[in-house]
Amino acid sequence: MLIRTPDFTKPDESYAKLIATHEGLDESESHALNARLILILMNHIGDDAVLAEAMALARNPKTSAA
């Protein structure tokens, strides 16, 4: 089941690292980085049901029911 509550140990630092990772990239490179990062994290999660739930939520964020 997808975790829908905040679960970051250091949310501000994590966000800052994400933004820093994009520094100096043009829009195309930034999109490619995002795609690679998503695939890496999808592989890490590995559970098809969790991935499907995450994709559905990303597509329609107004569906917040657990």
Side-chain angles (χ1 to χ4, degrees):
M1 178 178 274
L2 182 67
I3 298 169
R4 294 179 178 228
T5 56
D7 199 33
F8 286 96
T9 56
K10 297 180 179 181
D12 293 335
E13 290 89 341
S14 295
Y15 185 75
K17 286 178 185 176
L18 176 61
I19 297 305
T21 302
H22 287 268
E23 285 180 14
L25 301 179
D26 65 27
E27 186 176 2
S28 175
E29 292 168 328
S30 184
H31 287 308
L33 183 148
N34 282 336
R36 288 190 303 273
L37 180 58
I38 289 166
L39 290 172
I40 290 166
L41 294 173
M42 287 175 69
N43 183 66
H44 178 75
I45 293 166
D47 185 311
D48 288 339
V50 172
L51 293 170
E53 189 178 350
M55 287 184 259
L57 182 60
R59 178 75 186 223
N60 187 5
K62 294 181 182 183
T63 20
S64 60

